[in-house]
Amino acid sequence: MNARPTMQDVARLAGVSIKTVSRVVNNEPRVDPDTRARVQATIDELGFRRNEQARSLRPGQSSSLIGLVSGDLGNPFYSAIARGIEEVAYEHGHLLLTASSEEQPARERQLLETYLQHNVAGLIVAPTLDAAHTITPELLRGVPLVSVDRPVSDPDPFDTVLLDNRAGAYRAVTHLIHDGHTRIGIIDGNPRVYTGQERTAGYLNALRDAGLTPHPNLMIHGHHGAQHAEQATHQLLSQDQRPSAIFATNNRIATGVIRALHARRRTLAVASFDDFEFADVINLPLTLVSYDAMDLGRAAARRLLQRIQGDTSPPQRLTQPVTLRVPGEAH
Amino acid sequence: MNARPTMQDVARLAGVSIKTVSRVVNNEPRVDPDTRARVQATIDELGFRRNEQARSLRPGQSSSLIGLVSGDLGNPFYSAIARGIEEVAYEHGHLLLTASSEEQPARERQLLETYLQHNVAGLIVAPTLDAAHTITPELLRGVPLVSVDRPVSDPDPFDTVLLDNRAGAYRAVTHLIHDGHTRIGIIDGNPRVYTGQERTAGYLNALRDAGLTPHPNLMIHGHHGAQHAEQATHQLLSQDQRPSAIFATNNRIATGVIRALHARRRTLAVASFDDFEFADVINLPLTLVSYDAMDLGRAAARRLLQRIQGDTSPPQRLTQPVTLRVPGEAH
DNA sequence: ATGAAAGCGCTAACAC
DNA sequence: GTGTTAGCGCTTTCAT
C-alpha cells in the first residue's frame, strides 16, 4: 500500500526542484547531463511514473484517451474493429475505452457523455439507428468523432469509415448470375439498417445489369438474427418459384440459411456478405464477400488521430475495399 | 469549439459559490431547495458536466477506470470476457480500458504500467506465460488486480477466475469412453499453457478411471493454432494404431482437426473444449465442453469491484462451471 | 445553509 | 541550467 511517488518526492530526494524533474521526465533539452542522470536514477529508484491524469488537467494538454462505442463488443465484427483501433492507438500512445450501446440510442448517448466527462481526446462510434438525433455537435463541444460501419446521418457531419457494401453485394450476386442462376433470393435484416440497404441496392443493381427482373417473392426483409433467417429460408424454399441461390446480407443471416438448408438436407448456392472460419468445411457452394474488419478500425483510428492533431478539413467518407472469396476455388 | 463549462462558470451564472455548485452536483444534503433548483437550472442551461479527471485527482477519490489486458481482443473468447466485464463495470459507474498483450510479457507489463499512469482503480489481466516475473506487487502499488482464464503464478498472490478445465475435459473424454471408444487421441497446444495442462490432466484422469492406458502415440503436444492441429490430425490418422476419437483441447485445435477430417473425407468422433456456432452443421459426432465466457468476465469484474471497495481478504480462486453439449442429442 | 482558501500532481511562464 | 510561482477543475476542511 506504499503510496505512489510524485515529482515532488523525486525532486526532494534528488535535491533539485520539481521543474527539473519535469524536464527530465519530458525529455526537455536544457538539462545538465549530470543532473539528468541523478534525477533519472532517483526516478528509477522510486519507481516514479508521471500521473497522466494530473498532466492532462492542464489546458491544451489533451488526454490520451480514445472512446469507442459499438453495438456489442462480444460480436466478432465489432471486436475486430476495436482491435484495429487499439493497435493504431497504442502505436501513438493512446489508450482505448470500450463500451457497447446494445443498439440503444439512449445508452449510446449516455456512454458518449460519460466519455466526455473523462476528457477523451476523441471518439469512435458504430452508430445505432436514430443516432442522428442524439449525436450532435453541441454534445461533442469540439471533441472529434469518427463513425465506423454506418454513417450517423446523411449528409454526415462527421468523418465516416465504411465498407464498400454496394460493390461487394454486386460482385457476389453477379458471380451467382455468371454461374447460371436466374432466380436468386435475398434475405436481409432490419430494412432501416444502412449496411443492409446498401447491400440490397447492390443486389438489385446486379440483377438489373444482367437483365433480370427482381421478384418480390424472392426478397425477404425485416428479419433479424439467425433464427428468423432460418424461417425465412424455409419460406423461400416452400413456394412454387423456388430460388436456386440465396444471398444473405450478413453472416448472422447466412448462419440461419445454412442451418435451414442443413435441416432440409438441401444443397443450394449461398452467397453472403461476411466471411467465416468454417466456410471451407461447409458442403455448400459458397460465395463470400470478404474483408478485414480490423482495417475498418485502423482507418477510423488514423482519421481520428489526424483530427486530434488539429486537422480541420471537411468531413471525409472513407470506403474500405472488399474481395470475393469462393472456398475451394483456386486463386 | 465552445469551451467546456466549469463549476466556476455555473457558480458565476447562478450567483453562488463554487462549493454550492459542487454540493448540488454531488447531491449533498445541506442545500436550500431554492438554491439547488436555481443551480440545477444553470447546469442544464450550460450543459455542464463534472470533469472526472479533475475530480479523481483529489487523494482518496479513486478514478472510475478499470484496465483490461488480454491476449488478443480480436479473439472471440477474450472479447466475450471483455463484454462481461464491461457490463458489470457499467452498472457500477466504471469505464473499461482494453488492450492486447499479443501474449508478449514485455508488452503486457508496458500496458499495465500505462494503465497505472492513468490512475486506474483496478486491473484485470488474462496473463501471458511468464507473467509471474513481470506482474509483481511492487509494480501495482496497492492497485487491485484480478487474473482471468489463467493464474499469474501458483500459488497466486491475486484473485483468479478460472474455468473448470479439468472437470470439463474429464467429462468430455468420459463421454467418448461411454460411447465405446478406447483409443482416444488428444491434441494440445503449447504444453506450458495452464489451460492445456489442466485439460490434459482431465483427459488422463478420465482414461485412468476407466481403466484405459494412455498411449504416447495418441498424444500430440506443442502445436499451436489450427494449422498445426491439422497436421497433427493427419499424423494421428497415418499411424498403425489409429484413434477412433480425438479430443481437442481448444477450439482453434478443433478447427484444425475438423479441417483435416474434411480433407480426408473421414468421419471420426471429435470432442473439444469450447463450443462453436457451426457445431450443429458439421457432419461429425461432436462432444463439446461449453461455457459462458461472458460469465468469466462478470465474475472477474465483481471480484475486482469488491477489492476496489476495500475488501482485503486473502486472494480467492473462483472456478466457473462448464457443461457438456452433444449437438443433435435431445436434452 | 453557504463560502473562502488550500491543495491534489503536474506544466507553462517567467525569473535568475 | 535551474528554480519559483500560478493555476488546470475539482473536493475538502474550516469558518461564518
Side-chain angles (χ1 to χ4, degrees):
Chain A
M1 290 301 167
N2 38 1
R4 171 176 181 173
T6 70
M7 276 195 179
Q8 199 55 262
D9 298 331
V10 176
R12 240 181 325 253
L13 222 97
V16 296
S17 86
I18 181 177
K19 178 69 227 199
T20 300
V21 179
S22 173
R23 287 198 175 93
V24 172
V25 168
N26 295 297
N27 269 313
E28 286 177 37
R30 321 191 135 259
V31 181
D32 182 277
D34 286 355
T35 315
R36 184 183 296 272
R38 189 154 40 88
V39 170
Q40 189 57 56
T42 313
I43 287 174
D44 294 344
E45 185 190 339
L46 258 49
F48 166 83
R49 275 185 304 280
R50 176 175 64 190
N51 183 332
E52 285 298 327
Q53 206 135 303
R55 180 184 125 89
S56 54
L57 196 56
R58 298 308 314 283
Q61 311 272 5
S62 87
S63 89
S64 48
L65 262 31
I66 289 173
L68 168 68
V69 178
S70 71
D72 173 12
L73 192 65
N75 179 330
F77 174 67
Y78 288 124
S79 65
I81 290 176
R83 183 78 181 83
I85 296 170
E86 185 195 278
E87 181 186 294
V88 173
Y90 181 78
E91 284 167 8
H92 292 77
H94 285 262
L95 285 179
L96 181 65
L97 288 160
T98 51
S100 305
S101 66
E102 299 173 356
E103 304 293 349
Q104 299 166 21
R107 192 175 155 130
E108 172 178 69
R109 187 189 163 103
Q110 165 72 50
L111 287 166
L112 291 174
E113 287 196 359
T114 306
Y115 282 163
L116 290 166
Q117 278 189 244
H118 283 265
N119 264 2
V120 292
L123 295 161
I124 298 177
V125 52
T128 59
L129 297 172
D130 306 312
H133 306 297
T134 79
I135 304 181
T136 61
E138 300 81 67
L139 175 70
L140 300 179
R141 292 182 189 282
V143 174
L145 181 147
V146 174
S147 70
V148 63
D149 185 43
R150 308 174 193 162
V152 171
S153 58
D154 195 0
D156 204 304
F158 308 107
D159 295 312
T160 303
V161 178
L162 302 172
L163 286 172
D164 200 348
N165 294 293
R166 213 177 268 235
Y170 183 94
R171 277 189 249 159
V173 174
T174 299
H175 187 270
L176 291 174
I177 295 171
H178 283 173
D179 278 357
H181 296 281
T182 54
R183 288 199 315 288
I184 302 171
I186 180 173
I187 305 179
D188 187 20
N190 183 337
R192 292 193 54 215
V193 173
Y194 171 81
T195 47
Q197 292 169 353
E198 288 295 305
R199 292 166 192 180
T200 300
Y203 162 88
L204 291 172
N205 287 349
L207 293 188
R208 184 201 58 205
D209 289 359
L212 296 172
T213 311
H215 194 301
N217 285 355
L218 294 182
M219 302 181 65
I220 305 197
H221 284 268
H223 287 266
H224 200 60
Q227 288 267 38
H228 286 119
E230 208 170 328
Q231 294 171 15
T233 306
H234 288 303
Q235 185 185 327
L236 277 179
L237 295 180
S238 303
Q239 54 191 17
D240 281 352
Q241 295 283 330
R242 269 189 285 245
S244 65
I246 296 180
F247 174 53
T249 60
N250 65 51
N251 61 5
R252 312 276 319 276
I253 292 173
T255 302
V257 172
I258 290 167
R259 281 212 147 83
L261 293 176
H262 189 258
R264 293 187 159 235
R265 314 210 168 289
R266 189 117 168 54
T267 295
L268 209 72
V270 175
S272 165
F273 217 99
D274 301 337
D275 206 338
F276 53 93
E277 195 173 17
F278 280 90
D280 303 295
V281 180
I282 303 286
N283 289 315
L284 290 171
L286 251 30
T287 306
L288 304 166
V289 182
S290 185
Y291 55 89
D292 186 345
M294 271 182 75
D295 273 343
L296 274 179
R298 289 190 191 101
R302 277 195 286 266
R303 190 74 198 98
L304 183 62
L305 287 170
Q306 289 170 2
R307 291 291 181 196
I308 289 173
Q309 280 145 28
D311 181 345
T312 57
S313 54
Q316 284 184 6
R317 179 167 288 201
L318 302 172
T319 304
Q320 299 294 110
V322 300
T323 61
L324 218 56
R325 189 170 85 87
V326 181
E329 197 174 75
H331 48 244
Chain B
M1 290 297 168
N2 39 359
R4 172 178 181 172
T6 71
M7 275 194 181
Q8 200 54 260
D9 298 332
V10 177
R12 241 180 325 252
L13 222 98
V16 295
S17 86
I18 180 178
K19 177 68 229 197
T20 300
V21 179
S22 172
R23 286 198 176 94
V24 172
V25 168
N26 295 296
N27 267 312
E28 285 179 39
R30 321 191 135 260
V31 181
D32 182 279
D34 286 354
T35 316
R36 185 184 296 273
R38 188 155 39 89
V39 170
Q40 188 58 55
T42 313
I43 288 174
D44 295 343
E45 185 190 339
L46 258 51
F48 166 83
R49 275 184 303 279
R50 175 174 65 189
N51 182 331
E52 286 297 328
Q53 207 136 306
R55 180 183 125 90
S56 54
L57 194 57
R58 298 310 313 280
Q61 312 272 7
S62 87
S63 89
S64 49
L65 262 32
I66 288 174
L68 168 68
V69 179
S70 70
D72 173 11
L73 192 64
N75 179 330
F77 173 66
Y78 289 124
S79 64
I81 290 176
R83 183 77 181 85
I85 296 171
E86 185 195 278
E87 180 186 294
V88 173
Y90 181 78
E91 284 167 8
H92 291 79
H94 285 262
L95 285 178
L96 182 65
L97 289 160
T98 51
S100 305
S101 66
E102 298 173 357
E103 303 294 350
Q104 300 167 20
R107 193 173 152 130
E108 172 178 66
R109 187 190 162 100
Q110 165 73 51
L111 287 166
L112 291 174
E113 287 198 0
T114 307
Y115 281 163
L116 289 167
Q117 279 190 238
H118 283 264
N119 265 1
V120 291
L123 295 161
I124 297 178
V125 51
T128 60
L129 297 172
D130 308 311
H133 306 298
T134 77
I135 304 181
T136 60
E138 300 81 69
L139 174 70
L140 300 179
R141 292 183 190 281
V143 174
L145 180 147
V146 174
S147 70
V148 63
D149 186 43
R150 307 173 192 164
V152 171
S153 58
D154 196 1
D156 203 303
F158 308 108
D159 294 312
T160 302
V161 178
L162 303 173
L163 285 173
D164 200 349
N165 294 293
R166 213 179 269 234
Y170 183 94
R171 277 189 249 159
V173 173
T174 298
H175 187 270
L176 291 174
I177 294 171
H178 284 172
D179 278 357
H181 295 282
T182 55
R183 288 198 317 286
I184 302 171
I186 179 173
I187 304 180
D188 187 20
N190 183 338
R192 293 191 55 215
V193 173
Y194 171 82
T195 47
Q197 291 169 354
E198 289 293 306
R199 293 166 190 179
T200 300
Y203 161 87
L204 290 172
N205 287 349
L207 293 188
R208 185 200 58 204
D209 289 359
L212 296 173
T213 311
H215 194 301
N217 285 357
L218 294 182
M219 303 181 63
I220 305 197
H221 284 266
H223 287 266
H224 201 60
Q227 287 268 36
H228 285 118
E230 208 169 327
Q231 293 173 15
T233 306
H234 287 303
Q235 186 184 326
L236 277 179
L237 296 180
S238 302
Q239 54 192 16
D240 281 351
Q241 296 281 329
R242 270 189 284 244
S244 64
I246 296 180
F247 174 53
T249 60
N250 65 52
N251 63 2
R252 314 275 317 276
I253 291 172
T255 303
V257 171
I258 291 166
R259 282 212 146 84
L261 293 176
H262 188 260
R264 290 185 160 236
R265 315 210 169 288
R266 189 117 168 53
T267 296
L268 210 70
V270 176
S272 165
F273 218 100
D274 301 338
D275 205 339
F276 53 93
E277 194 172 19
F278 279 90
D280 303 295
V281 180
I282 303 287
N283 289 315
L284 289 172
L286 250 30
T287 306
L288 303 167
V289 182
S290 186
Y291 54 89
D292 186 345
M294 270 182 77
D295 274 342
L296 274 179
R298 290 190 191 101
R302 276 194 287 265
R303 190 76 198 97
L304 183 63
L305 287 170
Q306 289 171 1
R307 291 290 182 197
I308 290 172
Q309 280 145 29
D311 181 345
T312 56
S313 54
Q316 283 184 5
R317 178 168 288 200
L318 301 172
T319 305
Q320 298 296 108
V322 300
T323 62
L324 218 56
R325 190 169 85 87
V326 182
E329 197 173 74
H331 47 247

